[in-house]
Structure formats: structure tokens, C-alpha cells
Amino acid sequence: MGIIELSKITVIRGRNKVLDGWSISVDSGEVVCLSGENGCGKSTVIEAAAGLIPLEKGSCEISGQLIRDSQGRRGRTNFGLCLQDDCIMGDELVGERILDAAGHDFDIASLLKNWGLDHRIHDRVAMLSGGQRRRIALLSGLIPAMISKEPVAILLDEPDSGLDDESVEKLSETIRNLAAGGHSILVSSHDSRIISAADRIIEFPFSETKGEPVKGKFTPIEKGNSRNSYIGHRLNLRTFSGFANNGIAGLLVLGAMLALLEPAQLEGRMLTAFILAPALAAGLCGNPIHRLSLENRSHSWWSTKSAILPHAIFHSLILCAALTILASTITSEFNLQLILAGAFIGAVTESIVGLLSQATLRLSRPNAVMIRLLTPILLLPWALVVDTLSA
């Protein structure tokens, strides 16, 4: 059984059956290159192997772990991925992104120097040129294998796109070196230099030839301690997206209520509702990192790492608690129970709205789905909390 295993998969996109009962197995130390015209199904194979698209039939496994099957079951394991989109949020830092992809600390300066990026290690990805950004996306896909002595699967979808000749040559050499270390690589490409690095070439529609690549030499990068990314919280501190998207909404609701109501005259249920309303409004805006992850399909790359997309839920608790404290200050009604309830209501509401949005991300036009029409139902638990606390 191969490290990468696609078993009789059928994929339908729109009205077209792109793959029909298609199978492939990539063994340890093998490089398989998918070649053919645009639109023939190369990217579909890569994305299916990564578990990013639904299957009508069949299943995909990596390193013996089910990644996705036709019944919708999902699994995750350690593998490298580089799609045609860079899948990087512009506010990520260059060095930070590679370390997050590796999941471990290591001497990143040497790696970036080898690829001509050491001078950009602390820069935001948005500040890079297109070619530099593509190199970061490529390294994000290669690094899980570069630091591993055990076989790791690498999925590369036209990784040479946007690279200069020197980088393509380096990529071709790196692919052979990783194969020498027992890693399995499934790559799609039109470039003859990448094709020549393959042990097998699958020319769509599905003719297979053997390659005669040169042998490489694998020297793994020494890795240090495992690393927790906390990317959502880091980005939230860097961009203030939580305050911009959620906090401002809470302040606007509080301002509107002040214009319409006299806080000193409120009591009972109306007083409790007044204090908790800003936190609810902030929560209804959803996951503030979600908007950032839409850039260059970053959410797709992160979904292969974890079932939960990047978020800043602890910051949301603090923000909603602060909004509740501000409302309490205006009414002179300080109550620890109310403050905790506001923080909890806001954070839970944000999480639910975020999950609703996340459920549509794999669709071709996620913004066209009116799933946000379901969010008014979240007023019900808020109303129940208001009723309980006011009693």
C-alpha cells in the first residue's frame, strides 16, 4: 500500500464528471508527476488527495490515515500541500508561516537563505513580490518532509507557476532529494524540468510512462520542539481585526441604544438586555479571522491541518467582556454574573456564526449561499439568558 492512495475516486464538478473510478498509489521514495492540458483534472486529483473536495465514490488515504471518502468522513495526518493559490494570508510573517507549516522550531534562517529569502524573514507576506510569495507557499508544502526522517506525503499543484528558472531548478533538485529520503511526492506540472524529476509520468487522459530521474541525497533539517501556531490570535493582535469587525459593531449598538433609551430609567429585563446587547452584536459578526482566511484560499490550506480554522476565541471573550463592562458602567449596574454572561454569549455566538460560514467555504461561490439568514435564531438563547438573569 502506497503512502498516497486514491482508490476508485469519482469527482463531479458542476455538471462534469472530472474523474470516474480513478485510482493511483504513490509509494515511499516515489515521485509521480501529473501532466496534461489545463482543465484535464490534475488539480482535482491533488485537491481530492488533500481532502478538499467531496467524492461521489471512492476514498483517499495518506500514510494509512483516511483523508476523505464518499460518505463524507474526514481525517487528517501530517503531509505537505502547495496549491495553485498561495493559500497564505497577507498579514502572516515569512518566518512565522514556514514554522507554522513545519509544526516545529528549526533553523529557518538557513533555509530561507538557500532560497534567497533570508532578508524577508520578518516581513509580512503581503509585502513580497509574486515570485517571493510563491516560494513561501512552496516551502510551506515541502517543509513537513524536509524536517522528517519518516516518510511524509507531499502534494504539489503546479508549484513551478510564477517561479524563476533558478527556483524551478532548485525545486527539481529538492524533489529528488526528498524522494531519496523515502518521501512520496505527487506533483502536477507542465515544466519539463519537474517532469524529468518524476519516476512516473501520468499524461492525462491517463497514459503512463516511466521516468529516468537522477538520484538525490537527503539530509533532514534538524528540528527542535513542537510548535503551537495560535495563528488566529497572533493575526488578531497584529491587525486588530476582532475590534474592527466585532468591537465596532458592539459599540454602534451601544451608541444606538443610548440615543433611544435613558439608561438611568432602565430596570429589570430591559436593563439586563441593554447590558448584554453589545456583546451579542459583536458575536453576530462571526469569526474575525474568517475574513482574513478568505485571501488566496488560505482556509483550504489550514483545513488540512485542523478541523477548526484559525480563530481568536480568547480575544473574543475579552472583547465581549469589555463591551459588557462598558454597558454596565453607563448604567451603574456592576454585576460579575452579567459580565461573565456577556463574554460567554458573545464568544459562543461568534463561534456558531463562524462554523456556519466555515460550512460553505468548500463551495465554488460561498458568498452566494444565504446561510447568514439563519443567524437571527441566535437571538433566542440571548433572550433566554436575559430572562433568566433578570429574574
Side-chain angles (χ1 to χ4, degrees):
M1 186 174 183
I3 302 297
I4 304 172
E5 196 80 29
L6 278 64
S7 303
K8 299 180 179 179
I9 64 171
T10 297
V11 177
I12 296 177
R13 284 191 158 181
R15 298 182 179 181
N16 299 322
K17 186 178 287 187
V18 182
L19 299 173
D20 188 8
W22 200 77
S23 300
I24 189 174
S25 179
V26 184
D27 296 327
S28 175
E30 187 178 28
V31 179
V32 175
C33 183
L34 309 176
S35 184
E37 299 296 328
N38 292 333
C40 65
K42 304 188 302 297
S43 296
T44 299
V45 172
I46 300 294
E47 294 191 19
L52 296 176
I53 55 178
L55 306 178
E56 296 296 316
K57 296 180 182 178
S59 63
C60 303
E61 295 184 5
I62 292 179
S63 301
Q65 168 68 52
L66 176 68
I67 299 300
R68 190 165 198 146
D69 65 9
S70 57
Q71 298 180 15
R73 289 177 293 190
R74 287 291 308 272
R76 288 167 180 83
T77 189
N78 181 39
F79 65 91
L81 176 66
C82 176
L83 297 176
Q84 288 188 42
D85 295 284
D86 295 336
C87 299
I88 309 175
M89 291 175 271
D91 289 297
E92 295 182 69
L93 303 184
V94 170
E96 170 186 275
R97 166 64 176 210
I98 306 300
L99 290 172
D100 287 339
H104 290 80
D105 293 321
F106 67 95
D107 183 11
I108 189 172
S110 297
L111 174 65
L112 292 177
K113 184 177 181 180
N114 189 37
W115 287 81
L117 293 166
D118 53 313
H119 61 296
R120 310 305 298 267
I121 188 170
H122 299 300
D123 289 343
R124 298 192 188 201
V125 173
M127 299 171 63
L128 305 182
S129 68
Q132 290 174 326
R133 185 169 184 146
R134 189 59 182 167
R135 273 179 273 170
I136 297 301
L138 176 60
L139 288 173
S140 298
L142 296 175
I143 194 62
M146 287 179 165
I147 65 172
S148 177
K149 297 178 182 179
E150 300 297 324
V152 171
I154 299 296
L155 306 174
L156 306 174
D157 189 6
E158 299 195 17
D160 51 275
S161 176
L163 295 181
D164 55 30
D165 289 339
E166 182 182 353
S167 296
V168 175
E169 294 286 353
K170 190 179 295 293
L171 170 59
S172 177
E173 179 185 356
T174 301
I175 286 176
R176 289 316 310 170
N177 290 340
L178 292 178
H183 303 295
S184 301
I185 301 170
L186 180 62
V187 56
S188 69
S189 179
H190 299 283
D191 195 291
S192 59
R193 291 164 291 184
I194 305 300
I195 295 174
S196 65
D199 298 290
R200 282 190 288 151
I201 301 98
I202 299 178
E203 181 77 30
F204 281 63
F206 318 130
S207 63
E208 183 175 320
T209 58
K210 294 285 186 179
E212 297 181 355
V214 298
K215 291 185 178 180
K217 181 179 180 181
F218 179 64
T219 303
I221 297 174
E222 291 296 326
K223 62 183 179 181
N225 297 327
S226 60
R227 172 184 173 88
N228 294 317
S229 66
Y230 300 118
I231 182 64
H233 292 86
R234 276 189 270 125
L235 286 178
N236 195 36
L237 287 174
R238 190 174 299 149
T239 64
F240 294 101
S241 59
F243 180 76
N245 292 311
N246 302 60
I248 294 298
L251 291 175
L252 288 174
V253 168
L254 182 58
M257 291 191 301
L258 285 174
L260 298 173
L261 303 171
E262 177 55 54
Q265 297 179 358
L266 299 177
E267 59 183 18
R269 184 179 300 175
M270 285 294 294
L271 178 61
T272 304
F274 181 94
I275 294 173
L276 295 181
L280 174 67
L284 287 173
C285 293
N287 180 357
I289 310 301
H290 169 77
R291 297 175 185 270
L292 302 179
S293 71
L294 295 178
E295 184 178 359
N296 292 297
R297 289 187 66 191
S298 178
H299 58 84
S300 295
W301 189 87
W302 281 102
S303 72
T304 66
K305 302 293 182 182
S306 172
I308 302 175
L309 289 179
H311 60 83
I313 192 66
F314 295 115
H315 292 170
S316 300
L317 283 167
I318 295 172
L319 175 64
C320 293
L323 288 170
T324 308
I325 291 172
L326 180 59
S328 299
T329 302
I330 293 172
T331 60
S332 300
E333 180 69 23
F334 283 99
N335 185 312
L336 180 60
Q337 190 177 27
L338 274 178
I339 294 171
L340 293 176
F344 182 76
I345 286 174
V348 170
T349 302
E350 176 190 305
S351 299
I352 294 173
V353 174
L355 289 173
L356 290 175
S357 299
Q358 183 178 339
T360 67
L361 286 178
R362 65 179 178 83
L363 302 177
S364 58
R365 297 181 62 213
N367 291 330
V369 181
M370 298 302 180
I371 198 167
R372 291 296 293 269
L373 294 176
L374 298 175
T375 54
I377 200 174
L378 296 174
L379 291 173
L380 178 59
W382 173 79
L384 293 174
V385 171
V386 169
D387 187 61
T388 301
L389 292 179
S390 59

